[in-house]
Amino acid sequence: AEGAERIASGERGVRVEFPSGDDEFTALIASFNRMSERLARSEEEVETSRAGLTRKNRELEDRRRLMETVLETVGTGVAVVDADGTLTALNAAACRLLDVKGEVVGRRLNEALPGGGRSEVAALVQRLLSGRGARQEREVVMPACGRDRHLAVTVVPLAGPPGSPAGAVAVLDDLTPLMRAQKVAAWGEVARKLAHEIKNPLTPIQLSAQRIRKAHLKGA
């Protein structure tokens, strides 16, 4: 009875000493001691498992914070959608490129990204979620005040827990600076060719003018 009370109060590894024998009371005490040992081992295993889970949870939390920091600092837009077509995450770059607020997280995709080029991005995600292709890629033009924005959109599946349908991740790259650089380079090439075309006839004109001048000087 004292051993049972000690176990009930939280003590582990309690043993009841008893003289050797083969009567029922001796067998009962031996069973009690085995139960106490097993309970102590179970408690140790539970504590070990709890410590391991705490460590893994801490590691997962550290990874989550790291990923959030990375996503919020990169210039590439990232949007995460679950299998039901609900927007679950949107980093700062995606908000800027799509011209939306962070409050759209938690809404259905067609509600979160309405109109203009945003609807094209939503359509690409929906195509992937419906099983029409394992990867979707397209260049999308986002109408903006003063100058349109060109985005390279890539949508890939996002694996969920085993047995659950996959979601999707949309990656948005701003091609506008590249497009501007290409336009500048193209206009530079056009200007070079125009200068070449203008310069070509100027050379014989200059030679002819020089001959005329020489002839005029001689005649004078």
Side-chain angles (χ1 to χ4, degrees):
E2 289 178 2
E5 288 295 333
R6 289 164 62 188
I7 291 176
S9 65
E11 187 177 347
R12 295 295 176 258
V14 176
R15 283 187 59 83
V16 176
E17 300 298 333
F18 63 96
S20 60
D22 57 359
D23 58 355
E24 294 180 355
F25 190 71
T26 302
L28 175 62
I29 295 177
S31 297
F32 177 88
N33 287 339
R34 287 195 298 271
M35 178 198 70
S36 178
E37 292 173 0
R38 290 173 182 169
L39 183 60
R41 287 198 300 268
S42 297
E43 287 285 339
E44 291 176 358
E45 292 173 358
V46 168
E47 288 298 325
T48 302
S49 299
R50 183 180 301 165
L53 286 174
T54 301
R55 185 177 65 256
K56 289 185 179 296
N57 286 336
R58 191 180 303 116
E59 292 174 355
L60 288 174
E61 182 64 20
D62 291 341
R63 289 183 183 179
R64 185 187 65 80
R65 285 198 296 266
L66 175 62
M67 290 301 298
E68 286 182 351
T69 302
V70 171
L71 287 177
E72 288 304 314
T73 53
V74 297
T76 300
V78 178
V80 182
V81 182
D82 64 13
D84 296 327
T86 300
L87 190 63
T88 59
L90 197 68
N91 70 345
C95 292
R96 176 177 56 82
L97 295 175
L98 294 173
D99 195 21
V100 295
K101 302 293 184 181
E103 290 81 1
V104 298
V105 173
R107 298 182 185 177
R108 300 284 294 182
L109 199 60
N110 56 352
E111 299 174 358
L113 304 178
R118 290 184 291 269
S119 60
E120 295 186 47
V121 176
L124 286 176
V125 175
Q126 293 292 356
R127 282 181 60 86
L128 185 136
L129 293 177
S130 63
R132 290 178 290 175
R135 183 186 181 96
Q136 300 291 327
E137 294 179 312
R138 184 182 299 175
E139 182 179 325
V140 174
V141 178
M142 286 289 300
C145 296
R147 186 174 295 173
D148 292 343
R149 182 180 293 124
H150 296 260
L151 303 180
V153 183
T154 303
V155 184
V156 295
L158 175 64
S164 63
V169 175
V171 180
L172 314 171
D173 288 309
D174 191 359
L175 299 180
T176 308
L178 179 61
M179 301 290 290
R180 292 174 185 169
Q182 290 176 345
K183 287 182 179 179
V184 170
W187 279 112
E189 182 65 17
V190 170
R192 187 187 65 80
K193 290 182 177 179
L194 285 174
H196 180 72
E197 294 297 328
I198 293 173
K199 186 177 180 180
N200 280 344
L202 285 178
T203 301
I205 293 174
Q206 183 182 17
L207 293 174
S208 298
Q210 290 174 350
R211 293 194 190 98
I212 294 173
R213 182 172 181 275
K214 287 181 180 179
H216 175 73
L217 292 175
K218 287 179 180 180

